[in-house]
Amino acid sequence: MAAGHTLLSEMNTDKQALTNIFQFLKHQNLKETEEALKKELGIHVTTVSAVPTSSSCSQPEEVADSYSKDTTHPRSYSTASAPVNATILVDDEEEDIEPEEEEEEEEGPRSWPGVARSPGPVQQQSFGPKPVIPFQVPSMLTSPPGPLLYKPPASFPMPTIFTLVPPGLLAHSPNGLINRPLSFPSRSSPPLMSTASGLQSPPALSPLTAPPSAILSKPINTGPTTTPANMNGTLLSPGTQKNTITLASIPDEELTPAHHELKAFAEEFKTKRIQLGYTQGAVGQSLADKGYSNFAQSTISRFEQMQLSPSNAATIMTVLKRWLYEAENPDMVLSGEGQVDPLGPPRKRKKRVVYTPHALSILNKYFLKEPRPNRQIIEMVAEELDLLPEEVRVWFCNKRQKYKTSNGEVEETGPDCPSPFSPQSDVTTSPPPAPVQKNCTKFTIEELII
DNA sequence: AGCTCATGCAAATGAGTC
DNA sequence: GACTCATTTGCATGAGCT
C-alpha cells in the first residue's frame, strides 16, 4: 500500500480515480471488493514503475494466447482526449506495454491496395478536457460480485483498462454515443437481424442453379472437413469446417478450469441477456452503438452455445462481460477512453461482400483457367466484375483453399493446377474439369478472356 | 406474419513462410 | 508481396415459437 501511495502521489489525477473507485464500491456496497482492491493495489502497484502515459495490463498466458493472433486489439491503451493521466496497473504477472500509437493506428480504414476508402466512423474525438479518469479496474471489479455470479478466473482475466464515469457526468458526453448510459433496445427499432433484408445481393449459386458443366465431382474420399461432422451442432461449430476445437465439443473431463469459467459465463450471459430484454441481435447492435467491437447475432449465438474455440470465446467474453456489466449498471459506465473496446478500438472488419451468382460464375470460370492469377489478371477480373482487386485476390485464395480441402490433398498438379476431377466435388462454385497442367502454366489475359 | 435463434457457407483476417 | 493454412465471423436462411 505504501508503494501504492508513492505511485499515486506522483500521479495526481489517480487520486481522483481512486476516490471514484472507492466511492463506487461503497455505493455498491462492495465492501469486500473495496478491501480487495486496496489490498491488490498495495501488492501490485509495487510491481509498476511509473506508467505516465500509457497504461498496461497483464495477460496471463492462456488469454494472451487468445489475443495473440489479433494485433489490432491492443491490450492496453491510454486516453487521448482526457488529460494525460497515469494509469494504475492492477494485475501483475507479465507485462506488455504496447507502444502508444495503438489508438492512432486506431485504424483509418484498412487500406485496400489501389483503392481509396472512405474513413470509417470516427471513434475518438478531441473534446477537450473530459471528466473521465482513465483507470485500470482490478479484475475483481470487472466482474462485479453483485450482479454477476461469474468470477473471472486468473486464467481469463478481464482486460483491465477502464474509465469510471460517475453517473452525473454521463450527460456531458459530446458525441452522443460515448458514455451514454445503456438503454434498452427499442422494440420498435429495427433489430440487427433485420438488416438481412431486401437490399442484399442475391444468394450465391445454389447447386441446382450451377450449370451442369460447372459441377465438379467430389473426391471419393471426402475428408472429414467438407461436411460438418455433426449436424446437430453439438459437436462441431457449424462455421468451423476444420478441426477447430470448440468448447462445446470438449468432453467435460477434459475441460480446464478456464474452460469451465467460460462456459459458466456463457450460460450466465444468456440468462441475464434475456432478463435484461435483449435479443442476440440487439446485443450486437448495442455493442456497436457503444463503440465496442461489435459482433453479429450469429456470433453472439455461437458464443452462448460455446461453439467457438476457447481462445475466440475468451476474446469475445471480455467484450460481453463488460457490456453486461454496463447493461446491469446503467448508472455506472465503465469505459476506457470514452467507450473504447476492452480489446482495443472497435474492429474494422471489412463488411462481408456477397457476390452475385453472375460474379461467382465468372470468377469460377477464371479459376478454372487460372487458379493463381497474377496481379494483372486479378485487376482485369476486378474491373470486369466491379470488385476490388483485393476482393478478387481473396476470393481466389479462398477458392484454392476450399478446393483443396474439398478435393482432398492435391498432389503433383496442386490446387493451382486442377487435376482431372474425380466425380463430384464442390458443386456450387467449382469450375468444370480442366486439363492437367504441368508446371502450372500461367495464362495470358487473352487466353483467359471468356 | 413476424420475431428470434441456430447453422451452413464462405468472405475476411492473421500467422507463418517463401 | 503474395501465398498457404487455420481461424474468425457475417450473411442468408430455415426452424421454431408467439
Side-chain angles (χ1 to χ4, degrees), chain A residues 222-301:
Chain A
T222 26
T225 60
T226 50
T227 318
N230 185 325
M231 296 303 286
N232 65 20
T234 58
L235 287 181
L236 278 183
S237 164
T240 311
Q241 294 124 4
K242 297 292 181 68
N243 297 320
T244 305
I245 304 295
T246 69
L247 268 169
S249 71
I250 301 175
D252 275 355
E253 58 272 21
E254 293 176 23
L255 289 174
T256 68
H259 293 158
H260 282 297
E261 296 291 345
L262 269 170
K263 284 188 146 183
F265 176 74
E267 270 182 42
E268 186 180 352
F269 175 81
K270 181 173 185 176
T271 302
K272 297 201 166 184
R273 169 182 66 79
I274 293 169
Q275 284 172 358
L276 288 164
Y278 281 88
T279 64
Q280 293 170 346
V283 169
Q285 185 61 61
S286 175
L287 285 168
D289 289 347
K290 294 161 75 64
Y292 293 166
S293 287
N294 58 308
F295 295 99
Q297 173 266 330
S298 53
T299 302
I300 305 294
S301 171

Side-chain angles (χ1 to χ4, degrees), chain A residues 78-99:
Chain A
S78 62
T79 68
S81 54
V84 175
N85 292 306
T87 298
I88 297 176
L89 181 69
V90 175
D91 280 320
D92 54 358
E93 301 176 356
E94 52 111 88
E95 282 317 312
D96 73 275
I97 299 177
E98 313 250 328

Side-chain angles (χ1 to χ4, degrees), chain A residues 211-217 360-361 363-369 371 395 399 403 418 421 425-434:
Chain A
S213 64
I215 296 178
L216 285 182
S217 29
L360 286 173
S361 164
L363 285 165
N364 278 314
K365 285 177 182 173
Y366 281 119
F367 180 79
L368 168 65
K369 290 197 170 191
W395 185 89
K399 183 67 179 178
Y403 179 81
F421 299 87
S425 93
D426 173 12
V427 289
T428 59
T429 55
S430 293

Side-chain angles (χ1 to χ4, degrees), chain A residues 180-226:
Chain A
R180 186 174 51 198
L182 182 112
S183 58
F184 280 57
S186 162
R187 286 288 177 180
S188 58
S189 62
L192 183 62
M193 291 166 44
S194 67
T195 56
S197 56
L199 292 179
Q200 299 292 339
S201 303
L205 271 184
S206 72
L208 290 179
T209 57
S213 64
I215 296 178
L216 285 182
S217 29
K218 276 209 162 110
I220 306 243
N221 62 343
T222 26
T225 60
T226 50

